Amino acid sequence: MHTSSKLKKEFFKKWMQGLQICCSSKKQMNIMERKKKIKLSSDIAMASAKMTPTSWSNALISNAKKCEQDTVLVDKLIGPQSQLKLQKTSNKMISFHNRVQCKKVLKRSCNYAAKKTKRMGDSRKNLATIIAKRLVKKRTKVLKRLVPGGESLDEFSLIKEALDYILSLKVQVDVMRSVVNATEVVLNGDNLMKSV
Amino acid sequence: MSSRRSRQSSNGASRITDDQIIQLLSKLQQLVPEIRNRRSNKASASKVLQETCNYVRSLHREVDDLSDRLSHLLSTIDAESPEASIIQSLIM
């Protein structure tokens, strides 16, 4: 797909940039620390490589910025223009989230009485539907936790975000896999020559 | 998901129909490998959501594993070999 190869290139470029920034320090990092930095650069590179920022990419970047030691890396990767956009969208998300919560509370209190009488009537017929609805609700909750920034989204946007998020995750995994395999070949080939 | 619901989206657009949700779910189904093989009208909404969650979790795990492998590889670099210097100039 045309767009996915462009995305791959952009992600690869940003990820290498991130790795150079965080792994270039002279001090020795232990494996766990390096792994965290690698993963962080990868996630941020993925979020910032997108042409059009989405809810999950903004949420990912804002979450990373909350940690003090990572802010420098994040800022360098996403660039100055995106930083301003990020601020605006994150404020919008917060106010939208509050509005959604208020609406939900209002709806719940208004519909409670109506629901009670209705349930008595057709409980037998709609048992399967009720179970199905409950399952869907449960699964939607889980998905909300998995997709970054998904907590404040309604179901429709959540599914759209999940679609985009999965596509980006696939790109991320593909590029990372190629890089790791290539590194392995270069390093192990080197070891093989030494043993001969 | 089987009952018709009207909802205001963040842009103030009009109601979101069942069909739109079904379309989205079928697109999701295409992406997730577990349920891609079945015919689209057989997978229920909860099944699609469940497999989506599992798939996202497995992708997260893969990213984690790959970062781990790369970290191990980079830690074993012998600073003097020529191949290692290629990697070093690229990544470190």
Side-chain angles (χ1 to χ4, degrees):
Chain A
M1 222 167 65
H2 165 67
T3 37
S4 111
S5 68
K6 222 176 177 185
L7 187 61
K8 279 187 183 177
K9 279 189 199 155
E10 190 62 31
F11 165 66
F12 179 67
K13 212 169 56 173
K14 294 222 159 176
W15 186 37
M16 287 295 126
Q17 220 178 340
L19 285 179
Q20 278 173 345
I21 295 174
C22 61
C23 296
S24 62
S25 57
K26 297 287 180 185
K27 63 170 183 179
Q28 285 284 12
M29 274 190 282
N30 69 14
I31 295 190
M32 282 311 292
E33 276 181 27
R34 190 181 285 118
K35 173 204 163 171
K36 280 195 194 147
K37 299 266 176 176
I38 293 177
K39 183 153 190 272
L40 179 70
S41 330
S42 175
D43 288 337
I44 302 295
M46 194 62 245
S48 65
K50 290 179 60 57
M51 301 299 151
T52 43
T54 54
S55 163
W56 68 261
S57 62
N58 289 337
L60 227 162
I61 296 179
S62 343
N63 284 341
K65 283 189 133 187
K66 287 184 188 162
C67 177
E68 274 189 35
Q69 29 174 271
D70 299 330
T71 358
V72 178
L73 170 63
V74 176
D75 283 337
K76 281 197 185 154
L77 274 183
I78 64 178
Q81 278 182 340
S82 335
Q83 289 185 39
L84 283 169
K85 274 192 209 167
L86 198 61
Q87 200 59 13
K88 287 185 188 166
T89 44
S90 64
N91 292 338
K92 233 184 6 171
M93 294 297 311
I94 295 171
S95 55
F96 175 62
H97 179 54
N98 290 341
R99 267 191 286 137
V100 169
Q101 293 290 76
C102 295
K103 273 191 192 169
K104 280 187 182 169
V105 169
L106 212 61
K107 253 193 195 174
R108 230 179 281 156
S109 51
C110 289
N111 291 344
Y112 183 66
K115 265 193 181 164
K116 215 174 176 190
T117 45
K118 189 177 179 201
R119 205 174 281 154
M120 299 295 196
D122 26 5
S123 60
R124 243 178 265 166
K125 263 195 285 180
N126 295 343
L127 191 59
T129 333
I130 292 176
I131 292 180
K133 278 191 195 171
R134 257 195 222 151
L135 273 178
V136 167
K137 240 187 200 167
K138 208 169 70 165
R139 307 254 155 89
T140 318
K141 254 194 203 163
V142 176
L143 191 60
K144 278 192 180 183
R145 264 183 274 136
L146 284 175
V147 174
E151 301 283 344
S152 53
L153 294 175
D154 62 303
E155 280 180 17
F156 188 66
S157 319
L158 177 67
I159 301 179
K160 277 208 285 196
E161 289 290 316
L163 273 168
D164 193 65
Y165 187 50
I166 289 180
L167 280 171
S168 309
L169 274 177
K170 276 171 130 174
V171 164
Q172 191 175 1
V173 165
D174 278 341
V175 173
M176 284 181 84
R177 199 182 287 140
S178 317
V179 168
V180 173
N181 287 341
T183 317
E184 211 168 32
V185 164
V186 168
L187 290 181
N188 289 342
D190 178 41
N191 289 341
L192 261 172
M193 302 250 291
K194 277 191 184 163
S195 64
V196 162
Chain B
M1 282 242 167
S2 56
S3 64
R4 187 169 278 251
R5 270 181 275 176
S6 64
R7 209 183 282 128
Q8 291 279 337
S9 72
S10 54
N11 300 336
S14 51
R15 52 181 67 196
I16 297 166
T17 63
D18 253 6
D19 289 330
Q20 284 175 300
I21 297 187
I22 291 177
Q23 249 185 359
L24 272 189
L25 279 179
S26 67
K27 273 196 203 156
L28 207 51
Q29 199 177 346
Q30 298 294 322
L31 277 183
V32 178
E34 289 296 309
I35 44 180
R36 204 182 356 211
N37 303 326
R38 313 201 192 154
R39 281 181 340 179
S40 55
N41 46 9
K42 281 206 169 180
S44 66
S46 72
K47 182 79 180 167
V48 172
L49 287 173
Q50 185 186 25
E51 292 303 327
T52 308
C53 296
N54 291 340
Y55 191 45
V56 170
R57 266 191 283 242
S58 77
L59 286 173
H60 280 167
R61 238 179 297 141
E62 266 215 76
V63 169
D64 208 57
D65 285 343
L66 286 169
S67 312
D68 200 38
R69 266 176 70 192
L70 191 57
S71 174
H72 274 100
L73 283 174
L74 289 180
S75 65
T76 62
I77 282 187
D78 173 12
E80 283 154 13
S81 69
E83 284 82 1
S85 63
I86 302 175
I87 304 273
Q88 253 175 329
S89 62
L90 189 60
I91 294 181
M92 298 175 72

